[in-house]
Amino acid sequence: MRILIAAAGSHGDVAPYTGLGARLRAAGHEVALATHESFAPLVRGAGLGFRPLPADARASGPAAGRRELMRAAAVFVRDLGAGLADAVDDRDDLLVLSTTTAPPGWQLAEALDVPTLGAYLQPTHPTGEFAPVVSGMRSLGRWGNRVLGRLSLRMVDRVYADAVRDLRARLGLPAAASGAVRARRERAGGPVLHGFSPAVVPRPADWRAGLDVVGNWWPHHDPDERLPSRVEDFLAAGPPPVFVGFGSMAAGEGERLGELAVAALRRSGLRGVLQSGRAGLEASGDDVLTVGELPHALLFPRVAAVVHHAGAGTTAAGLRAGVPAVPVPVTADQPFWAARLTALGAAPAPVPFRALTAARLADALTRAVREPACARAALAVSRSMATEDGAGRVVRAVGRIGQG
């Protein structure tokens, strides 16, 4: 089949689809990934075709409140819808859609009369088992969680309203509200596969048939790739360090965060590897090393713990390596994954980013690294994850669609 995967957002929103695309390509399919220009080397490095989408959501700039955030998101997805329409080829046989690209992707699938496969990194369908992942709220009980889940989807539909209206007009489709299109898709029971581990979030029992949790899709990296020599030298020079990184979060706060992280590490008697990320994290000293983007699969098994923003991908990578975490959630779905780490026993209680201090981070690091319970829990989850083949489940689902 000729497959187009569409993914948008930050590095963690896109990188897992490079590994998924590589597996589909290895199964004999022709695969392209539509995403932002900044990820073109990542996509081509996985042997996939690249098709450009508009600049990622960070280009919208910071938003002070929820209303501003929704307005910025609506502008972004409107551009995203137009970009996705440009990226789709009428020879494509299947659209594989992320959470962000699904609403515009459904309109294109309808116009082209091609099937879609949802490939989501977060659970988005309402359930009684937990509150919506982007709400940052604790469970409100089964009834409350379901109500809040439906309200959350209505908010999403509002964000996509202009994008859906514009796309349907451009494609010559009958006018339909974004919520109506979503409801129609749900009634049809289309397949949605979720790329996270059931050992971390089991499949909710009240989900409809066709919604499955299959295991993670890991970012592609060359099997011959090795860590840089300066990193290897640092790892060999002492006990396993702690990884500290905030991914695409905390832009412009690198100096403050670097000083804070080093102070916490030294109070805990630990060495550290600081990933600069979008924050521009940086520090110097014999006991710390600043690095750029490195494959988590190569680095994380060599560290004592991972301090991170609790994005879905970094959370999964730390658990895969079997190392404890110190989650410092910032926004969106990050409090959800942070809470899951704590519930699993693989991390102490989250330290919210706004409440982060050297003393609080040092205390959490001491518990994560010095007390064996966190490491034991992380290792247990790692062993479960090792038995999963999320990408293989997607390959089989695509095979079924091709036969249908």
Side-chain angles (χ1 to χ4, degrees):
M1 298 178 73
R2 185 180 167 104
I3 300 171
L4 177 65
I5 303 173
S10 67
H11 184 275
D13 298 314
V14 174
Y17 296 98
T18 62
L20 179 58
R23 281 290 295 274
L24 287 166
R25 181 173 174 269
H29 302 288
E30 182 180 344
V31 185
L33 176 52
T35 190
H36 315 299
E37 190 72 46
S38 58
F39 301 122
L42 205 65
V43 173
R44 294 190 175 112
L48 309 177
F50 171 75
R51 301 186 199 173
L53 291 181
D56 66 42
R58 290 175 294 178
S60 300
R66 181 166 294 184
R67 183 174 298 178
E68 291 81 1
L69 181 62
M70 287 187 65
R71 187 179 296 120
V75 171
F76 167 64
V77 299
R78 198 170 184 175
D79 293 341
L80 177 66
L84 190 55
D86 292 335
V88 170
D89 190 309
D90 60 11
R91 295 174 295 165
D92 292 329
D93 300 309
L94 173 66
L95 303 183
V96 176
L97 303 172
S98 72
T99 310
T100 307
T101 61
W106 296 333
Q107 323 309 316
L108 291 159
E110 182 180 341
L112 296 172
D113 192 26
V114 296
T116 67
L117 175 64
Y120 295 178
L121 297 178
Q122 303 87 6
T124 62
H125 288 76
T127 173
E129 298 188 13
F130 45 79
V133 298
V134 295
S135 71
M137 296 181 66
R138 296 180 179 179
S139 176
L140 301 178
R142 299 195 65 83
W143 181 84
N145 289 339
R146 281 193 289 267
V147 169
L148 195 60
R150 290 192 289 269
L151 287 173
S152 178
L153 288 183
R154 288 180 190 171
M155 297 293 285
V156 171
D157 292 335
R158 284 178 58 187
V159 168
Y160 282 91
D162 291 345
V164 169
R165 183 196 62 224
D166 291 355
L167 259 183
R168 294 186 73 83
R170 170 177 172 173
L171 299 169
L173 295 171
S178 55
V181 175
R182 179 188 296 277
R184 188 165 64 226
R185 302 285 303 188
E186 277 302 294
R187 287 194 297 272
V192 179
L193 304 184
H194 295 81
F196 49 82
S197 171
V200 179
V201 181
R203 180 189 184 277
D206 56 358
W207 271 3
R208 66 163 172 83
L211 304 178
D212 292 301
V213 177
V214 300
N216 292 89
W217 312 309
W218 303 110
H220 172 80
H221 69 86
D222 189 319
D224 294 328
E225 186 176 3
R226 298 291 181 268
L227 292 172
S229 57
R230 59 188 287 267
V231 178
E232 286 288 357
D233 291 345
F234 182 78
L235 292 171
V242 169
F243 171 90
V244 181
F246 296 96
S248 61
M249 298 290 107
E253 297 195 48
E255 184 176 355
R256 180 183 74 85
L257 290 174
E259 292 175 356
L260 186 154
V262 171
L265 289 164
R266 288 174 179 163
R267 288 175 70 155
S268 309
L270 298 164
R271 304 194 310 147
V273 173
L274 276 58
Q275 186 179 60
S276 56
R278 191 178 176 223
L281 221 64
E282 190 169 352
S284 60
D286 293 340
D287 55 348
V288 291
L289 178 71
T290 301
V291 300
E293 194 70 46
L294 293 174
H296 291 162
L298 297 181
L299 179 59
F300 282 8
R302 311 276 296 277
V303 303
V306 180
V307 177
H308 60 81
H309 60 298
T314 313
T315 297
L319 289 170
R320 183 192 193 190
V323 296
V326 175
V328 184
V330 183
T331 187
D333 62 333
Q334 295 160 18
F336 173 82
W337 297 111
R340 289 305 306 150
L341 282 168
T342 302
L344 291 165
V351 182
F353 182 77
R354 289 182 179 86
L356 185 63
T357 64
R360 292 191 69 175
L361 182 55
D363 180 62
L365 275 171
T366 299
R367 282 181 284 144
V369 176
R370 308 296 186 198
E371 298 174 8
C374 285
R376 283 198 300 265
L379 187 58
V381 176
S382 173
R383 288 170 176 160
S384 292
M385 294 172 84
T387 67
E388 302 163 4
D389 183 13
R393 292 279 298 275
V394 177
V395 169
R396 292 195 289 277
V398 168
R400 290 193 293 272
I401 291 171
Q403 292 169 1

